[in-house]
């Protein structure tokens, strides 16, 4: 069954739902390079940092996912953005990540970005890697054993990239 998903800008009233999702993912320690012991307040501050534009995906008024978009570098690299995505555990497999990805790909050029880069995709996160590849991202770099996975040990991290401008 396809879920009706609305993606909108993050609001202060979303803080608890977003924090709960972030803490679950960060505590698992298998996809983000965030200290698993991060406090809930610090997790939310990290996700909603000053330069980030943050969005939530919801269905029926329930927040099921969140993502941010931010410039990846300053100066000469400021035309490339980076995003982070988190889906609530209860909503996985319902197209939430794909919807947030599509939204980010649509909005990025309107914000002046010409490309999107994911700096550190954990190679064991095969579901995310496959989703990004289906959306046209290429693996442009591999960092051997750069991530210490809590179950798999040292695994590779991937750099993934997609041009957003077709000329």
């Amino acid at each position: 069954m396809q879920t009706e998903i609305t993606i909108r800008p993050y609001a202060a009233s979303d803080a608890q739902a977003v924090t709960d999702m972030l803490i679950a993912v960060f505590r698992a320690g298998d996809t983000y390079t965030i200290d698993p012991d991060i406090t809930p307040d610090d997790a939310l501050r990290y996700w909603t940092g000053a330069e980030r534009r943050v969005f939530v995906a919801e269905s029926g008024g329930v927040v099921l996912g969140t993502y941010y978009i931010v410039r990846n570098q300053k100066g000469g690299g400021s035309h490339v953005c980076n995003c982070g995505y988190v889906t609530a555990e209860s909503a996985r497999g319902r197209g939430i990540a794909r919807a947030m990805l599509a939204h980010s790909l649509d909005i990025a050029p309107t914000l002046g970005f010409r490309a999107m880069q994911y700096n550190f995709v954990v190679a064991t996160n095969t579901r995310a890697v496959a989703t990004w590849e289906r959306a046209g991202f290429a693996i442009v770099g591999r960092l051997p054993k750069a991530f210490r996975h809590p179950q798999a040990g040292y695994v590779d991290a991937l750099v993934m990239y997609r041009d957003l401008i077709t000329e």
Side-chain angles (χ1 to χ4, degrees):
M1 178 175 98
Q2 184 66 22
T3 302
E4 178 77 26
I5 301 165
T6 301
I7 298 178
R8 61 169 174 74
Y10 167 85
S13 59
D14 301 318
Q16 190 61 57
V18 169
T19 300
D20 291 347
M21 283 186 284
L22 296 175
I23 288 300
V25 168
F26 296 166
R27 294 273 187 271
D30 58 358
T31 57
Y32 275 88
T33 58
I34 302 296
D35 182 348
D37 295 325
I38 192 169
T39 68
D41 288 344
D42 286 345
L44 186 63
R45 271 193 292 277
Y46 163 77
W47 198 258
T48 60
E51 292 190 20
R52 296 177 182 209
R53 294 188 117 175
V54 181
F55 296 87
V56 296
E58 65 181 5
S59 180
V62 177
V63 175
L64 302 174
T66 181
Y67 87 89
Y68 67 77
I69 187 168
V70 65
R71 64 185 169 153
N72 197 42
Q73 301 293 329
K74 297 182 181 185
S78 64
H79 62 285
V80 179
C81 66
N82 174 264
C83 295
Y85 308 86
V86 169
T87 301
E89 188 173 345
S90 64
R92 291 185 187 147
R94 292 171 44 190
I96 306 300
R98 286 189 311 276
M100 291 189 296
L101 171 60
H103 188 269
S104 66
L105 290 170
D106 286 344
I107 200 168
T110 71
L111 299 173
F113 296 116
R114 299 178 59 85
M116 190 175 289
Q117 177 176 319
Y118 303 144
N119 301 318
F120 206 93
V121 180
V122 178
T124 54
N125 191 356
T126 56
R127 192 174 193 160
V129 172
T131 298
W132 309 155
E133 286 182 320
R134 277 192 306 275
F137 284 81
I139 296 171
V140 296
R142 180 176 290 271
L143 310 170
K145 301 185 188 314
F147 184 77
R148 189 179 62 225
H149 191 282
Q151 287 82 37
Y154 291 94
V155 299
D156 294 354
L158 309 173
V159 179
M160 301 184 76
Y161 186 87
R162 178 180 158 173
D163 189 1
L164 301 175
I165 306 299
T166 55
E167 298 178 285

